[in-house]
C-alpha cells in the first residue's frame, strides 16, 4: 500500500471504529431511551455497512459472508431511520407500524441469507438486494424528512440549533452517505466511508459547541437573574406594546428593536421570553400575529388570505400558513369556514 492508501484506510476506518464504539456504548451503558436505542441501532447498521465497503475496497477478494453482512445491514438502514424519526416526533401510529415492519424485514433478510447465501447466489445479492436496499433507503429518507418537517420548520433560520439537533443531523448525514454510495460509479466507492467519518466528527463538534453555548447562556442568566418586580414591569410593558400598539404587525420587527422599545437590552428581553413565556422571540411574535389573524379572518370574511397575512405582520404567505397551522392545527381557510 502507498502512503495515500494508508491515509485513505485510516480516515475510512476511523469513522467505522468510533461509530461501533459509540453505538455499543449507547446500547449497553447509555440511557435506556427508546429513541436513543433506535439511534444506536441505526449508527451500528451504518457502521457495519461502511466497514464492509472499506474492507471490500482494500481487499476485493473479501469473504462473501462479510459482503452478505454488509448488504444485510444496508437493507435495514432505511426502515431503522424511519422508526427513529417517528419516535422522535411522537408519531405513535407510524412508529408502531414501522417497528413491526422493521422486525419483519429483519426476519426476511435473515431467512433469505440462510436459504440463498451470497456465496451461491452472487447475482441475487449484487444486483437485486444491493439495488433494492438503495431504493428502500431513499424512500425511507423521503418519509423521514416528511415526518420531521414540522421540527425543521420550527428551527428555520436558527441554523446552529438545527444542525445541533441530533435527529436533523442524522437525516442530513444519512442523505449524504446515500448520495455518496449512489453516485459511487461516477466518483469512488470509498467516498461513502470518508463521508461517514467526516459527518460523524462534524456532527459531534457542532453538538458539543452548541452544548457549550447553551451552558454559557444558562450561566449568563444565572448571574443576571431577573427579579419578580422586573418580570412584572417588563411583562406589563411588553403586553401593552402587543395589545395596544400592536408592534408585531411590523414584518421587520427584530429582537433588538423590540428591546429598545422596552428600554432594555436584547439579552434581558430574550431572558424574559425564554423564562417567563417559555418561547423564543420568533415563537412569541408569531403567536401574537396568529392571534390577530384569527380575529381578522372572522371580521373580514371577504378579505383574501394574503391580505390577512400582510395585516397580521407576516412577510410571506407561506410563513403565515405554517405558523397558523402549527398553532391552531387548521389552515386559515379551514379556520374561517368552521367559525363563520
Amino acid at each position: 500500500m502507498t502512503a495515500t492508501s494508508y491515509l485513505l484506510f485510516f480516515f475510512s476506518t476511523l469513522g467505522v471504529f468510533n461509530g461501533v464504539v459509540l453505538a455499543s456504548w449507547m446500547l449497553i451503558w447509555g440511557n435506556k431511551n427508546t429513541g436513543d436505542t433506535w439511534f444506536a441501532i441505526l449508527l451500528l447498521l451504518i457502521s457495519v455497512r461502511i466497514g464492509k465497503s472499506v474492507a471490500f475496497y482494500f481487499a476485493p477478494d473479501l469473504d462473501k459472508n462479510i459482503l452478505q453482512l454488509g448488504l444485510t445491514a444496508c437493507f435495514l438502514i432505511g426502515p431503522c431511520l424511519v422508526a427513529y424519526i417517528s419516535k422522535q416526533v411522537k408519531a405513535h401510529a407510524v412508529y408502531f407500524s414501522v417497528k413491526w415492519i422493521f422486525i419483519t424485514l429483519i426476519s426476511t433478510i435473515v431467512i433469505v441469507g440462510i436459504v440463498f447465501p451470497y456465496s451461491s447466489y452472487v447475482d441475487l445479492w449484487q444486483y437485486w438486494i444491493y439495488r433494492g436496499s438503495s431504493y428502500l433507503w431513499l424512500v425511507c429518507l423521503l418519509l423521514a424528512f416528511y415526518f420531521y418537517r414540522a421540527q425543521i420548520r420550527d428551527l428555520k433560520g436558527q441554523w446552529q440549533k438545527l444542525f445541533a439537533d441530533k435527529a436533523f443531523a442524522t437525516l442530513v448525514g444519512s442523505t449524504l452517505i446515500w448520495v455518496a454510495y449512489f453516485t459511487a460509479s461516477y466518483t469512488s466507492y470509498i467516498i461513502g466511508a470518508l463521508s461517514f467519518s467526516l459527518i460523524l466528527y462534524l456532527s459531534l463538534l457542532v453538538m458539543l459547541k452548541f452544548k457549550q453555548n447553551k451552558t454559557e447562556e444558562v450561566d449568563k442568566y444565572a448571574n443576571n437573574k431577573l427579579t419578580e418586580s422586573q418580570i412584572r414591569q417588563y411583562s406589563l410593558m411588553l403586553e401593552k406594546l402587543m395589545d395596544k400598539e400592536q408592534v408585531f404587525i411590523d414584518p421587520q420587527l427584530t429582537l433588538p428593536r423590540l428591546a429598545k422599545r422596552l428600554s432594555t437590552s436584547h439579552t434581558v428581553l430574550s431572558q424574559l421570553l425564554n423564562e417567563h413565556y417559555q418561547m423564543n422571540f420568533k415563537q412569541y411574535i408569531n403567536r401574537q400575529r396568529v392571534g390577530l389573524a384569527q380575529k381578522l379572518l372572522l371580521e373580514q370574511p371577504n378579505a383574501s388570505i394574503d391580505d390577512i397575512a400582510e395585516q397580521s405582520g407576516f412577510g410571506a404567505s407561506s410563513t403565515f400558513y405554517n405558523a397558523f397551522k402549527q398553532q391552531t392545527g387548521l389552515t386559515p381557510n379551514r379556520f374561517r369556514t368552521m367559525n363563520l
Side-chain angles (χ1 to χ4, degrees), residues 111-234:
I111 292 171
V112 168
I114 294 172
V115 178
F116 306 102
Y118 193 116
S119 55
S120 302
Y121 297 87
V122 176
D123 289 342
L124 170 68
W125 285 85
Q126 283 188 348
Y127 186 81
W128 292 106
I129 294 181
Y130 174 71
R131 286 182 175 274
S133 61
S134 295
Y135 288 115
L136 176 62
W137 189 349
L138 174 60
V139 170
C140 290
L141 276 171
L142 296 174
L143 285 173
F145 270 108
Y146 175 77
F147 294 137
Y148 208 69
R149 67 193 186 284
Q151 284 71 16
I152 296 173
R153 202 163 50 228
D154 288 345
L155 294 173
K156 186 178 180 181
Q158 304 176 59
W159 301 113
Q160 189 178 23
K161 286 185 179 180
L162 188 59
F163 282 98
D165 181 78
K166 186 168 70 176
F168 181 75
T170 302
L171 281 172
V172 173
S174 300
T175 302
L176 292 176
I177 294 168
W178 180 87
V179 170
Y181 277 115
F182 195 75
T183 59
S185 57
Y186 306 104
T187 54
S188 172
Y189 193 60
I190 202 66
I191 292 295
L194 294 174
S195 300
F196 177 58
S197 297
L198 179 64
I199 292 162
L200 180 63
Y201 291 105
L202 280 178
S203 299
L204 289 173
L205 285 173
V206 171
M207 289 177 190
L208 288 173
K209 180 65 176 175
F210 179 73
K211 186 176 181 181
Q212 179 185 354
N213 290 343
K214 289 291 286 182
T215 302
E216 290 173 355
E217 185 177 329
V218 170
D219 292 341
K220 177 180 65 179
Y221 286 166
N223 295 329
N224 300 279
K225 198 75 174 175
L226 291 175
T227 63
E228 289 296 325
S229 61
Q230 285 177 314
I231 292 174
R232 283 196 300 272
Q233 177 191 350
Y234 288 131

Side-chain angles (χ1 to χ4, degrees), residues 243-260:
D243 296 339
K244 295 185 177 179
E245 300 185 36
Q246 294 188 331
V247 295
F248 58 83
I249 64 174
D250 177 8
Q252 304 303 320
L253 183 66
T254 60
L255 179 66
R257 287 178 60 185
L258 182 57
K260 190 174 181 180

Side-chain angles (χ1 to χ4, degrees), residues 22-84:
L22 180 58
S24 302
W25 181 86
M26 292 181 70
L27 286 170
I28 299 171
W29 294 288
N31 295 327
K32 300 305 178 183
N33 177 284
T34 307
D36 285 344
T37 300
W38 279 108
F39 176 78
I41 295 171
L42 176 64
L43 186 58
L44 189 61
L45 290 172
I46 294 177
S47 298
V48 170
R49 195 268 178 267
I50 299 292
K52 186 275 296 182
S53 66
V54 173
F56 181 71
Y57 183 82
F58 290 99
D61 56 345
L62 195 66
D63 185 273
K64 296 295 187 292
N65 290 323
I66 297 177
L67 294 176
Q68 180 174 323
L69 178 63
L71 288 174
T72 300
C74 188
F75 186 75
L76 298 170
I77 288 172
C80 185
L81 176 65
V82 176
Y84 168 63

